[in-house]
Amino acid sequence: MKTYTIAVVHGDGIGPEVCRAAVRVVEAALGSASPLAFREYDAGAQHFLATGESFPEASFEGCRQADAILHGAGGLPGVVHPDGTEAGLDFTLRLRFELDLFANIRPIRLYDGVRSPLRDVKAGDIDYVILRENSEGLYAARGGGALLRGEVAIDPLVQTRHGVERIVRKAFELARQSEGAPRDGVRRVTCCDKANVLRSYAFFRSIFDRVAKDYPDIETEHALIDAMAMHLVMRPSHYNVIVTENMFGDILSDLAAATVGGMGMAPSAEVGAHNGFFQAAHGSAPDIAGQGIANPYGTVLSAASMLDWLGHGHSDERLTDGARRIRAAVETCIRDGLLSADIGGSAGTERITAALCEAVAQVPAGR
């Protein structure tokens, strides 16, 4: 029976707390016959303060060779390089670019038991995916821009035909695997850009339109980024899969997370052809670190995505079933009112984690 090596990087702030919680829930879901072997590696802002390195080469190599990577959170306020960029982000960005993790998949779902700040929106009304191109766009300029005489700063925005085409195809494949938009059940892909102003986004849209012809079973539409920020608030149930450039996807997914309870409810998967990196979309929240009140749901759901990705990639039903059972346990615990402070409750990290482990054991296997 195949075993899988999981590189675990706890990171900074609440990262170790939520990462440990996710590992415990995964182990509870898979049981004593778990095919996963966890290996821990150092990286992040705290490691940078201690050693002068934010991402040691040994840690990178361990992550590169692993079957998947599970991360807590990275970065600390004020811990920066001389150019002002965060030292704690080196880990995430290096993995994205050097392992070519081109697809950042961010599910946005409102769970029964979590109150949305949007009026009259209930569980089931928000259930879509933001697919963020993860290897190009404006963020590809990190370390490659120019600062001229302290007067002018330039960061180029990069879009390539290859990069755009593969993320758009990924969007259509995700739509095909989905149940469609909550409002009407239609499988649809929305291209979000700024094609009316910038050539780079007009280029993105033209490739989207060409690829769309290969998926006649999927409805397509366009939305400008400024209008999309409004639409996600005014009519979130319309959306199924949204595909967009790197920076736009980063901003939109944070806005979207706010509509379903906040960043603690925002899982994330960053995948390429051979590697996968899984973490919640939230930051390290050092102001609450060590208090036992961090919300572990986002990281636990990211770990479920990790099992799904591994299971589908290796045709291993042990893992896909484990992912299903974790998600069912999350639904049960949230519906039963086991909420952390950020989503309106008072349950601490340990209480939620223990309840998830207990709930996942009650979910029947293989159904």
Side-chain angles (χ1 to χ4, degrees):
M1 297 177 68
K2 180 172 176 57
T3 59
Y4 307 88
T5 300
I6 309 300
V8 178
V9 181
H10 294 292
D12 304 307
I14 63 170
E17 299 168 60
V18 296
C19 206
R20 284 194 294 266
V23 170
R24 282 176 57 189
V25 175
V26 167
E27 290 177 332
L30 298 179
S32 59
S34 171
L36 304 186
F38 295 99
R39 303 276 189 274
E40 295 187 358
Y41 296 96
D42 292 322
Q46 196 63 52
H47 190 74
F48 177 78
L49 288 175
T51 68
E53 275 189 299
S54 58
F55 193 14
E57 198 61 33
S59 294
F60 173 76
E61 191 60 27
C63 290
R64 186 184 68 81
Q65 293 184 8
D67 291 290
I69 306 154
L70 182 65
H71 183 224
L76 291 172
V79 183
V80 298
H81 293 296
D83 65 359
T85 58
E86 286 190 46
L89 296 184
D90 294 343
F91 165 70
T92 301
L93 293 171
R94 184 177 177 189
L95 289 178
R96 286 176 182 171
F97 292 116
E98 295 198 27
L99 300 186
D100 197 22
L101 307 178
F102 70 91
N104 191 325
I105 305 166
R106 297 198 169 184
I108 305 297
R109 180 185 176 191
L110 181 61
Y111 282 84
D112 185 11
V114 176
R115 183 178 179 181
S116 172
L118 302 183
R119 186 179 61 190
D120 299 329
V121 170
K122 60 185 184 303
D125 291 342
I126 303 179
D127 192 357
Y128 59 88
V129 171
I130 294 177
L131 185 59
R132 168 188 170 190
E133 203 293 317
N134 213 35
S135 65
E136 300 186 340
L138 188 58
Y139 291 167
R142 179 178 167 89
L147 180 61
L148 307 178
R149 297 177 297 280
E151 297 292 336
V152 179
I154 301 170
D155 285 316
L157 190 154
V158 179
Q159 311 262 38
T160 70
R161 183 173 299 277
H162 169 71
V164 176
E165 180 169 340
R166 66 180 179 177
I167 197 65
V168 169
R169 289 196 181 278
K170 183 72 173 179
F172 280 100
E173 293 300 329
L174 288 175
R176 274 185 173 170
Q177 297 163 16
S178 76
E179 299 296 324
R183 176 178 294 180
D184 52 19
V186 173
R187 292 183 174 92
R188 110 177 10 99
V189 178
T190 305
C191 176
C192 178
D193 54 46
K194 195 62 177 174
N196 61 330
V197 175
L198 297 174
R199 287 179 177 176
S200 55
Y201 291 110
F203 179 67
F204 191 108
R205 181 179 290 199
S206 69
I207 296 171
F208 175 88
D209 289 341
R210 181 175 59 79
V211 172
K213 295 176 182 178
D214 294 336
Y215 299 86
D217 53 316
I218 307 297
E219 183 177 291
T220 63
E221 63 181 9
H222 305 106
L224 297 175
I225 179 63
D226 43 348
M228 178 61 81
M230 177 184 68
H231 295 329
L232 292 186
V233 172
M234 301 300 293
R235 52 172 191 154
S237 63
H238 170 79
Y239 295 101
N240 180 200
V241 177
I242 300 165
V243 62
T244 190
E245 176 266 337
N246 204 336
M247 184 182 68
F248 285 175
D250 192 11
I251 296 169
L252 277 185
S253 56
D254 280 21
L255 183 153
T259 69
V260 296
M263 299 305 292
M265 298 303 301
S268 176
E270 305 181 35
V271 301
H274 306 291
N275 299 89
F277 172 54
F278 303 86
Q279 62 175 347
H282 60 66
S284 64
D287 56 320
I288 62 168
Q291 298 179 33
I293 61 174
N295 182 349
Y297 284 122
T299 308
V300 168
L301 289 167
S302 298
S305 295
M306 178 183 75
L307 296 185
D308 252 342
W309 179 76
L310 280 172
H312 286 299
H314 295 274
S315 300
D316 194 330
E317 293 184 0
R318 297 173 298 174
L319 302 182
T320 53
D321 189 57
R324 177 192 62 81
R325 295 173 66 220
I326 289 173
R327 293 191 179 104
V330 168
E331 288 185 24
T332 296
C333 289
I334 292 177
R335 186 176 59 246
D336 290 348
L338 205 64
L339 309 179
S340 51
D342 61 315
I343 50 176
S346 59
T349 312
E350 173 58 32
R351 184 181 169 199
I352 293 174
T353 304
L356 284 169
C357 291
E358 182 177 346
V360 80
Q362 304 303 315
V363 180
R367 293 181 57 187

